[in-house]
Amino acid sequence: MWGVLRGKPTTEYVAEDFAFHISANVEAAYHFCQLSHPLLKASSYGSIIFMSSVAGVVSFDCGSIYGLTKGALNQLARNLACEWAKDGIRANAVAPNAVKTAQSQSFFDNVSLKEELFARTPLGRAGEPNEVASLLVFLCLPAASYITGQTICVDGGLTVNGFSYQPQA
């Protein structure tokens, strides 16, 4: 699961929206890490990879709580990378841009949002699931054994180009 998003202007969020995002996007990952620590430590080669988002790296005009939760995962990866390195556990985050999946179909149905996003994405398109999966697999391999505490964007260049979307009223 990539996470949940209720996109609204910040002033329209209510406490239930905040609790919903935190619970689904941060709490579950945090507690799963706590529970898996003994197994990862016993393996002598543990790797945690959080599914973040470009929204945790750059600002989007709608979805501040979502961005906050994805930024929290990026920070959690940095903290665990330092705290658990002595246990042979690495932690990283992968931050994709829009990726063609069944879950993202409603985004792709919003033509103006899609066009604006892709205009700011140097490669000009959505990612494919295999483009994200390839990085996830690599981060689990011995070849990535010196990579920890990083947030790696799989975003067609969006985070180096910036993005700002103004929803129509």
Side-chain angles (χ1 to χ4, degrees):
M1 180 162 178
W2 299 79
V4 296
L5 165 62
R6 292 180 181 169
K8 301 179 187 180
T10 300
T11 56
E12 293 180 18
Y13 280 119
V14 296
E16 194 275 327
D17 293 319
F18 188 84
F20 175 75
H21 282 87
I22 294 294
S23 175
N25 294 349
V26 180
E27 263 187 271
Y30 184 85
H31 293 302
F32 187 74
C33 287
Q34 287 179 310
L35 293 171
S36 64
H37 179 267
L39 296 172
L40 293 170
K41 183 178 178 178
S43 78
S44 301
Y45 187 79
S47 180
I48 297 168
I49 305 168
F50 294 109
M51 285 308 306
S52 182
S53 166
V54 292
V57 178
V58 295
S59 175
F60 285 80
D61 293 335
C62 270
S64 63
I65 298 175
Y66 179 77
L68 176 149
T69 63
K70 295 305 185 171
L73 291 177
N74 299 342
Q75 184 61 44
L76 183 56
R78 290 188 288 270
N79 284 88
L80 295 181
C82 294
E83 183 179 343
W84 292 358
K86 68 186 180 315
D87 298 326
I89 301 169
R90 297 178 304 107
N92 293 289
V94 171
N97 190 354
V99 177
K100 293 178 189 173
T101 66
Q103 186 177 2
S104 65
Q105 188 55 49
S106 62
F107 165 80
F108 292 113
D109 292 342
N110 184 333
V111 175
S112 63
L113 175 58
K114 182 176 84 170
E115 287 175 358
E116 186 140 352
L117 176 65
F118 295 154
R120 298 295 303 151
T121 302
L123 291 183
R125 63 175 177 82
E128 297 289 337
N130 67 320
E131 293 171 314
V132 177
S134 298
L135 176 58
L136 296 171
V137 169
F138 171 72
L139 287 172
C140 293
L141 295 173
S145 63
Y146 202 57
I147 301 172
T148 193
Q150 302 303 304
T151 298
I152 303 172
C153 298
V154 183
D155 64 356
L158 175 75
T159 55
V160 296
N161 207 27
F163 177 72
S164 180
Y165 171 69
Q166 299 289 333
Q168 302 298 320

